[in-house]
Amino acid sequence: MKYIFVTGGVVSSLGKGLAAASLGTLLERRGLKVILQKFDPYLNIDPGTMSPFQHGEVYVLDDGAETDLDLGHYERFTSTNLSKLNNLTSGQVYMSVLTKERQGKYLGNTVQVIPHVTNEIKQRITDVAEKMGGDIIITEIGGTVGDIEGLPFLEAIRQFGHEYGRENVLYIHATLVPYIRAAGELKTKPTQQSVSKLREIGISPDIIFCRTEQPLDLEVREKISLFCNVPIEAVIEGRDVKHTVYEVPLKLHEERLDDLVCERLHIVAPQPDLTSWRKFVQRVINPTHHVRIGVVGKYIELQDAYKSIYEALTHAGAANDCKIEVVRVDAEAIEKTGSEIYLAGLQGILIPGGFGDRGTEGKINAARYAREHQIPYFGICLGMQIAVIEFARNVCALAGANSTEFEKSTPHPVISLLEEQKRVTSKGGTMRLGTWSTELLPNTKVRGLYGKDTITERHRHRYEFNSDYKENVESKGMLISGTSPDGNLAELVELKDHPYFVACQFHPEFLSKPNKPHPLFDGFIKAALHHQTAALDADPS
């Protein structure tokens, strides 16, 4: 087993997760089995209770773990299937250490950061290795060098290199090489300072990954090589890509990153087969068609709040030779000015998941606009609940229909709390989480898209469709097209007389891959293209 640790310095948001995932892509396509994991220094047990403004989206795994969004990159860029073991936080570490102390497992010793906390961190690495097997583990350390909360993690990986041998352990450090426009120069001092700080801790990086807006010329590379004590070929340019993040593996291969890793770790493996990856990237960059998809949400200004949804749209767009122009629509803006100004001219409308009542009436108006104007609609989690509320109010004539999440005293609670959630008081990790099976109704749109009767999808919700209203909504044309195996929970709904009005209670975006788009996203983009063609035929001008 070989071990790669990816650290970061200078500033956050350097793209360590994408760099780790891209390296995973290259090594996997050399025929190696790659495992990825993320260590986050914050004290939360997991990001499940954190605001998207703080943390972006929460990425859910098959086993129900609520994790960092970087695990989404890991699963999209490689074939690895991750579990709760692949995301570790300081909160989990200290909880485990203190639980063991209370149980007397330290035999009366004074419990300290070294060795008890660092041993706990190292144990997670070996636990993943034992459970998942493989050739290489890539571990990304969140935060930046110099953060107080990150010190135990850096100390743990320093010890790991000493214990497992430097021939089996490699350190990659991501830094910023800023371009000072007034001077017309790239500056290496932040990188030098960051590496110096890392070396004070006892870690000498083997490879330096330089995030930059401009090309690294030979002089800059030589300077970083000299002052940071790495070979010049180990100074890797991580320049901003022009079109899509899926270009990153190709760029890093051009920089010979995977060759360097294999040489340093004494791995004999063939060159990576990137044929299918290159074809996918070309389909993203040079599509024939173009559609505009409106994503209506309340965290719309945050790029990372709906990260997996945007990526799943990209995957489906590439599969259909189509550029996806995402039009971000603030649900609260619709509440103020109406739907027409924001939604007219779109080829598809998507409402993603979320919590709380802010912006919900705007989302309901957007769902109504899609239904009445025959625009393809795709609702995810809350987006399904919104579709049901709108239909109940405006088609079934159930005045005041709502979710009990938004209005506890609603006369028609068409969306209500899951039965098992009614006794839950704790917030973290208590929702309906992880992979659950769904049975699809024959002769439905979703059955045709999936091509099978039973599916498994990842969930994250507390509220559900109230089955007391099933007969009412179905009599008006909204079909419950997918349910839990016992038939009690509605998992999918669709409209009979609409070209594409599909909504699901689960999160399909978490299972979409670059060369394997999710069936619901694929169907949505196909419907958007058809809607565009029909509109052009109706109005050839």
Side-chain angles (χ1 to χ4, degrees):
M1 180 71 75
K2 304 293 185 178
Y3 304 89
I4 299 172
F5 296 102
V6 181
T7 59
V10 186
V11 295
S12 59
S13 302
L14 283 179
K16 295 194 304 295
L18 275 172
S22 298
L23 177 57
T25 302
L26 297 174
L27 296 175
E28 187 174 86
R29 286 168 184 262
R30 283 176 172 258
L32 303 169
K33 182 178 179 183
V34 179
I35 304 164
L36 294 107
Q37 61 180 355
K38 174 76 180 288
F39 288 173
D40 279 307
Y42 53 72
L43 285 172
N44 302 68
I45 301 300
D46 57 46
T49 58
M50 296 170 70
S51 165
F53 287 106
Q54 292 277 322
H55 197 267
E57 76 171 4
V58 174
Y59 188 82
V60 179
L61 304 176
D62 281 347
D63 62 0
E66 296 174 287
T67 69
D68 184 84
L69 62 82
D70 278 322
L71 274 77
H73 294 314
Y74 302 163
E75 286 200 332
R76 283 189 288 270
F77 277 64
T78 68
S79 61
T80 186
N81 193 34
L82 305 176
S83 75
K84 62 183 179 182
L85 288 178
N86 297 84
N87 194 191
L88 180 69
T89 69
S90 290
Q92 293 175 29
V93 171
Y94 286 110
M95 176 178 280
S96 178
V97 168
L98 293 175
T99 299
K100 290 177 181 177
E101 186 273 334
R102 292 289 83 185
Q103 294 171 345
K105 292 187 177 180
Y106 295 121
L107 303 177
N109 288 326
T110 301
V111 179
Q112 298 176 289
V113 172
I114 301 172
H116 301 99
V117 169
T118 52
N119 283 349
E120 195 73 27
I121 294 168
K122 290 185 291 182
Q123 185 64 47
R124 177 58 67 89
I125 302 170
T126 55
D127 285 348
V128 169
E130 290 172 6
K131 181 178 180 181
M132 301 185 71
D135 302 303
I136 298 175
I137 294 181
I138 302 174
T139 303
E140 176 194 351
I141 311 298
T144 56
V145 172
D147 295 343
I148 292 174
E149 62 267 28
L151 288 175
F153 289 93
L154 295 174
E155 171 60 19
I157 66 172
R158 182 200 68 78
Q159 294 176 15
F160 203 91
H162 173 72
E163 293 165 5
Y164 282 78
R166 290 295 274 115
E167 69 277 10
N168 296 315
V169 177
L170 181 141
Y171 299 102
I172 299 176
H173 189 55
T175 72
L176 178 68
V177 181
Y179 179 72
I180 307 301
R181 202 165 298 279
E185 290 181 330
L186 286 168
K187 292 296 183 180
T188 66
K189 191 64 72 176
T191 294
Q192 295 176 43
Q193 294 288 344
S194 180
V195 170
S196 176
K197 191 72 176 175
L198 191 64
R199 291 168 70 182
E200 285 177 16
I201 297 167
I203 298 173
S204 295
D206 301 289
I207 295 172
I208 299 177
F209 174 70
C210 302
R211 287 287 284 114
T212 175
E213 296 177 354
Q214 301 291 329
L216 297 183
D217 59 30
L218 180 60
E219 182 181 354
V220 170
R221 290 179 190 253
E222 288 176 339
K223 194 171 185 180
I224 293 173
S225 170
L226 176 65
F227 284 98
C228 297
N229 198 33
V230 297
I232 191 168
E233 63 269 18
V235 179
I236 302 297
E237 178 184 285
R239 200 179 348 158
D240 297 351
V241 292
K242 292 182 179 179
H243 304 285
T244 172
V245 294
Y246 299 104
E247 294 177 80
V248 176
L250 304 179
K251 297 297 183 183
L252 294 185
H253 180 59
E254 291 175 6
E255 288 283 306
R256 294 192 67 249
L257 175 61
D258 51 317
D259 287 335
L260 283 167
V261 167
C262 289
E263 290 169 10
R264 174 64 179 76
L265 292 175
H266 310 292
I267 296 170
V268 178
Q271 286 295 305
D273 182 0
L274 296 169
T275 305
S276 62
W277 195 272
R278 292 184 192 280
K279 288 180 179 178
F280 168 76
V281 169
Q282 285 305 309
R283 291 198 303 271
V284 173
I285 295 175
N286 298 306
T288 303
H289 308 290
H290 173 271
V291 294
R292 302 174 74 239
I293 302 296
V295 177
V296 182
K298 67 176 180 179
Y299 303 116
I300 214 67
E301 70 273 23
L302 303 173
Q303 172 67 25
D304 288 342
Y306 306 118
K307 185 68 176 175
S308 292
I309 284 175
Y310 296 147
E311 297 305 316
L313 287 170
T314 298
H315 304 161
N320 289 280
D321 192 21
C322 179
K323 174 180 172 59
I324 307 298
E325 179 186 347
V326 173
V327 180
R328 302 179 188 182
V329 181
D330 187 338
E332 291 182 284
I334 292 179
E335 292 178 349
K336 295 174 184 176
T337 60
S339 300
E340 184 74 29
I341 188 173
Y342 295 103
L343 305 181
L346 297 177
Q347 285 77 54
I349 295 171
L350 187 154
I351 297 182
F355 300 92
D357 61 355
R358 183 167 63 86
T360 53
E361 292 301 321
K363 295 174 186 177
I364 290 169
N365 290 341
R368 181 174 186 174
Y369 187 89
R371 178 179 58 80
E372 293 181 343
H373 290 78
Q374 299 287 290
I375 299 172
Y377 174 88
F378 188 13
I380 296 174
C381 196
L382 177 62
M384 172 181 145
Q385 298 170 8
I386 290 293
V388 171
I389 294 168
E390 187 282 320
F391 193 82
R393 288 182 185 179
N394 300 310
V395 179
C396 301
L398 300 176
N402 214 328
S403 167
T404 55
E405 180 184 6
F406 313 138
E407 186 183 351
K408 293 187 183 301
S409 59
T410 173
H412 295 291
V414 292
I415 304 296
S416 59
L417 196 63
L418 282 158
E419 190 62 35
E420 64 265 25
Q421 290 288 317
K422 292 180 179 178
R423 294 175 295 278
V424 172
T425 56
S426 180
K427 297 296 183 186
T430 57
M431 286 183 274
R432 187 173 187 240
L433 291 164
T435 295
W436 296 80
S437 294
T438 295
E439 298 295 328
L440 304 180
L441 205 66
N443 303 315
T444 56
K445 187 177 293 295
V446 295
R447 173 61 181 79
L449 291 172
Y450 278 99
K452 51 187 176 181
D453 298 324
T454 303
I455 60 171
T456 55
E457 294 282 0
R458 297 178 183 179
H459 293 66
R460 185 175 185 251
H461 64 104
R462 295 187 192 278
Y463 290 80
E464 63 165 330
F465 172 76
N466 186 342
S467 58
D468 291 344
Y469 291 89
K470 181 176 186 293
E471 185 177 339
N472 196 326
V473 299
E474 288 202 324
S475 69
K476 298 294 185 179
M478 176 173 275
L479 185 64
I480 311 300
S481 52
T483 68
S484 56
D486 60 10
N488 290 332
L489 301 181
E491 299 281 21
L492 285 144
V493 301
E494 59 185 70
L495 293 184
K496 296 177 182 178
D497 57 351
H498 194 284
Y500 193 94
F501 195 102
V502 172
C504 56
Q505 186 58 72
F506 46 79
H507 287 269
E509 68 271 24
F510 295 149
L511 295 182
S512 186
K513 299 270 190 177
N515 280 304
K516 190 179 179 182
H518 191 280
L520 297 184
F521 279 91
D522 187 50
F524 179 55
I525 297 305
K526 281 183 168 64
L529 283 166
H530 183 75
H531 177 80
Q532 182 185 63
T533 302
L536 290 173
D537 289 343
D539 183 15
S541 62

